[in-house]
Amino acid sequence: MSAIGSQLLETPERRALRAAVAGLGARYGSAYYLARARAHEPADELWAEAGKAGYLGVNLPAEYGGGGGGITDLAIVLEELGTAGCPLLLLIVSPAICGTVIARYGTEEQRRHWLPGFADGSRRMAFGITEPDAGSNSHRISTVARRDGEDWLLTGRKVFVSGIDHCDAVLFVARTEDARTGRLKPALFVVPRDTPGFEYRPIPMELVAPERQFQVFLDDVRLPADALVGDESAGLLQLFAGLNPERIMTAAFSLGLARQALGKAVDYARTRTVWSTPIGAHQGLAHPLARCAVEVELARLMTQKAALLYDAGEDAAAGEAANMAKYAAGEAAARTVDQAVQTLGGNGLTQEYGLAALLAATRVGRVAPVSREMVLNYVAQHSLGLPKSY
């Protein structure tokens, strides 16, 4: 973003946050991040320093140790870390999804127990919603919570749960039975990682990331009454309180990847000389990179709009904008990384430049947390008023 554009669209505080986080990310960089990822180790040093500086909890209430800001601020943190080569996936999960849901709907005891740790980095929480047979259809979730006296018994399966092995607990989406109608409705439960009956296994992935993916098996996991987050009868509303920030943060994740790749490609095109001319002087390379810059900037603007709408409490408008931002950023990142690899040629596939690892990472923004096809279904139905296709 140009200096003039930044001054018009962001407050001085947010410009300062962006600069400070960029400085932190630059001290670690992609070499640190990729080394941790290839060793299947978490980026704990960066996470701890970001927490100490207050960056992990910028969106959380100040009375619980947070910065008192919003998703707009947290998206800046993730975008700038990603641009510096350190796209921390758990920023989407722990402070954005779980932190938002607990801050808005948790009990006072739940807030005091979890939010200060989210803010300073000493506690992390994963999020489990996707199931083997449900896919993008949250209405088909089969993980069920049933009452047993004062307790709950949780049974089901989840897949693609990020970073369980380094989290203290998981916020699971389950379904409970409505006592009046007998119908199942969504509800949210915090399950500590060491709870009996809670088993998790890694899923072999081609992603190069410090956070591994897991499948989860829940076999009559007994939970106390206070494991339930929020009102049992308002589960869908509470669920979407976390899903809109998830889409906005996924857009910021994709934008960080795109800006990282574009920066490397532009630097290379300026200095790589063939036949006495830098390759960036040739329109065959210059124009594709310029198109990527345009698409990235458009996606950034859409992401800012979505975040600002969400922070303003405009949930309906934020839902539309969050889906559009997630789509735009995912597409821009995929095309930009592909063009960056093409610009570097064979060097684009070496570990030295770190671009090849981004090829798989950009697919995250296209398929998660909801596929681009489902985003287009949403826009067709809700924005354009077309008939539902599924």
Side-chain angles (χ1 to χ4, degrees):
M1 183 184 298
S2 70
I4 294 176
S6 176
Q7 290 172 7
L8 291 173
L9 294 174
E10 292 183 343
T11 63
E13 292 79 11
R14 283 177 174 150
R15 294 200 301 273
L17 173 65
R18 190 178 289 279
V21 175
L24 172 63
R27 287 197 286 107
Y28 284 86
S30 60
Y32 161 84
Y33 177 87
L34 291 173
R36 287 290 182 275
R38 292 189 172 110
H40 300 296
E41 296 175 353
D44 280 343
E45 299 88 351
L46 174 57
W47 186 269
E49 190 168 350
K52 184 177 180 181
Y55 303 146
L56 300 181
V58 289
N59 64 308
L60 299 176
E63 59 265 37
Y64 302 103
I71 290 299
T72 303
D73 305 283
L74 192 62
I76 287 172
V77 174
L78 181 53
E79 182 189 342
E80 292 302 325
L81 287 178
T83 301
C86 305
L88 297 179
L89 187 62
L90 274 182
L91 271 172
I92 301 173
V93 180
S94 194
I97 302 174
C98 302
T100 297
V101 169
I102 291 174
R104 288 182 67 169
Y105 297 107
T107 64
E108 181 64 19
E109 183 179 353
Q110 288 169 337
R111 293 183 188 125
R112 293 194 180 281
H113 182 76
W114 291 108
L115 297 184
F118 291 169
D120 66 19
S122 61
R123 288 181 179 270
R124 283 174 271 201
M125 185 179 287
F127 179 64
I129 181 172
T130 305
E131 296 186 354
D133 299 321
S136 297
N137 187 356
S138 59
H139 299 286
R140 288 190 57 194
I141 287 174
S142 59
T143 298
V144 174
R146 66 184 189 277
R147 287 194 179 276
D148 185 48
E150 293 296 315
D151 294 344
W152 292 94
L153 291 177
L154 193 63
T155 300
R157 288 183 61 194
K158 299 289 182 182
V159 292
F160 302 121
V161 184
S162 302
I164 289 180
D165 53 337
H166 298 289
C167 288
D168 301 277
V170 183
L171 181 63
F172 281 115
V173 182
R175 303 182 78 186
T176 62
E177 185 177 53
D178 188 307
R180 184 174 59 84
T181 66
R183 298 176 65 181
L184 293 175
K185 55 192 179 179
L188 300 163
F189 294 87
V190 173
V191 183
R193 195 180 69 188
D194 58 357
T195 303
F198 174 11
E199 180 186 357
Y200 56 94
R201 302 174 191 167
I203 302 172
M205 304 287 290
E206 294 293 347
L207 288 172
V208 183
E211 304 91 353
R212 292 194 291 171
Q213 300 296 312
F214 292 87
Q215 56 182 325
V216 172
F217 304 87
L218 302 163
D219 184 15
D220 277 348
V221 174
R222 182 171 294 276
L223 301 171
D226 61 6
L228 176 70
V229 177
D231 187 343
E232 180 188 347
S233 63
L236 195 60
L237 176 66
Q238 294 157 184
L239 173 59
F240 278 97
L243 295 188
N244 282 334
E246 182 182 32
R247 284 156 172 73
I248 294 166
M249 290 294 289
T250 302
F253 176 88
S254 294
L255 287 172
L257 300 182
R259 289 178 57 203
Q260 179 191 161
L262 185 59
K264 290 181 178 180
V266 169
D267 287 344
Y268 191 88
R270 284 193 187 116
T271 57
R272 171 67 167 163
T273 299
V274 179
W275 293 299
S276 74
T277 304
I279 61 175
H282 301 295
Q283 291 179 353
L285 286 178
H287 283 186
L289 292 175
R291 281 195 295 270
C292 290
V294 171
E295 292 177 3
V296 169
E297 189 62 17
L298 290 173
R300 291 183 77 196
L301 291 169
M302 194 70 227
T303 303
Q304 285 180 313
K305 175 182 178 179
L308 290 169
L309 284 169
Y310 183 83
D311 289 338
E314 299 290 342
D315 287 343
E320 177 186 59
N323 275 292
M324 289 182 173
K326 184 264 173 195
Y327 178 94
E331 295 301 297
R335 285 192 286 267
T336 300
V337 170
D338 182 73
Q339 186 58 46
V341 171
Q342 190 69 22
T343 300
L344 271 67
N347 282 329
L349 298 175
T350 64
Q351 289 191 0
E352 177 186 356
Y353 286 92
L355 287 174
L358 299 184
L359 287 170
T362 59
R363 302 304 302 185
V364 173
R366 278 182 158 179
V367 303
V370 61
S371 71
R372 61 179 179 174
E373 289 76 17
M374 288 303 296
V375 171
L376 293 176
N377 282 336
Y378 178 95
V379 172
Q381 180 185 344
H382 295 278
S383 303
L384 303 182
L386 296 174
K388 189 174 183 178
S389 64
Y390 58 94

